[in-house]
Amino acid sequence: MKTIKIFCMMITAIIMLSQNRIVAQENEPGAEAKKEKIEAQKIAYITTQLKLTADESKTFWPVYNEYETKKETIRKDFRKNYKPNATDSISEAKAKELITAQLKMEQDLLDLKKEYAVKFQSVLTASKVIKLQRAENDFKKVLLKMLKDSQKKPSKPEKPE
């Protein structure tokens, strides 16, 4: 039980960290290209990990993309009303409201995950659906490692013109 709580807290932390990073990146030049590159890497990673056949890919990816779109909508709706960095000096009432809203968002995401677990099983075997969950988590770890590694490297000084 303790392991599950720790795992849930880690997932929540990853979600919140990724939300901060996404909000920051939305205003950066080239953010859309970076996002597309990551999405392409994710597709390749999941396809490889699940060992999807061409027929499975044709039926799986439209369902998965629909799932991802709905998941992002839930997160955007939350971020629209609750700014990630606005927690430093909020009132107790606003903090309680934020906790309630955050729990609602997490419940909405869980409900969506349950709904799509059934939909995924209509196009994939149950064992591949389990592998999908693992592949998504592993891909997040790979991305976080890449982000961590990129922050360790000193940026190259710009050459004078």
Side-chain angles (χ1 to χ4, degrees), residues 4 8-9 35 37 39 52 59 67 75 82-83 88 94 96 103 110 112-113 117 150:
I4 293 172
C8 289
M9 289 185 338
K35 186 176 179 181
K37 183 178 177 183
E39 286 301 314
L52 294 177
T59 56
Y67 167 68
R75 289 183 177 142
Y82 300 96
K83 304 295 182 225
D88 295 339
K94 193 71 174 172
K96 287 179 181 181
L103 290 172
L110 179 60
L112 183 70
K113 191 172 186 176
S150 72

Side-chain angles (χ1 to χ4, degrees), residues 16 40 55 73 82 95 105 115 129 136 147:
M16 297 309 286
D55 288 340
T73 299
Y82 300 96
M105 176 195 67
E115 175 188 344
V129 174
E136 286 178 313
L147 177 63

Side-chain angles (χ1 to χ4, degrees), residues 12 14-15 27 31 45 50 55-56 66 69 84 130-131 138:
T12 302
I14 289 170
I15 290 170
N27 298 327
Y45 188 84
L50 271 56
D55 288 340
E56 286 174 327
E66 181 181 286
T69 300
I130 294 295
K131 288 178 184 177
D138 290 348

Side-chain angles (χ1 to χ4, degrees), residues 17-35:
L17 287 172
S18 66
Q19 287 176 352
N20 286 342
R21 185 77 178 147
I22 290 169
V23 169
Q25 285 182 348
E26 285 175 354
N27 298 327
E28 290 179 18
E32 192 62 36
K34 286 179 186 177
K35 186 176 179 181

Side-chain angles (χ1 to χ4, degrees), residues 94-120:
K94 193 71 174 172
K96 287 179 181 181
E97 180 184 326
L98 176 61
I99 291 168
T100 301
Q102 188 173 7
L103 290 172
K104 182 190 179 315
M105 176 195 67
E106 290 174 8
Q107 184 63 54
D108 290 346
L109 289 170
L110 179 60
D111 292 344
L112 183 70
K113 191 172 186 176
K114 287 178 181 180
E115 175 188 344
Y116 275 83
V118 173
K119 290 183 179 186
F120 291 143

Side-chain angles (χ1 to χ4, degrees), residues 44-55:
Y45 188 84
I46 290 173
T47 300
T48 303
Q49 294 299 308
L50 271 56
K51 298 178 179 137
L52 294 177
T53 66
D55 288 340

Side-chain angles (χ1 to χ4, degrees), residues 21 34 37-38 41 139-153:
R21 185 77 178 147
K34 286 179 186 177
K37 183 178 177 183
I38 290 170
Q41 291 173 334
F139 185 75
K140 286 177 191 171
K141 289 177 186 175
V142 169
L143 275 181
L144 288 173
K145 184 179 181 336
M146 287 170 41
L147 177 63
K148 184 179 175 183
D149 291 346
S150 72
Q151 290 174 344
K152 284 182 181 177
K153 294 178 184 175

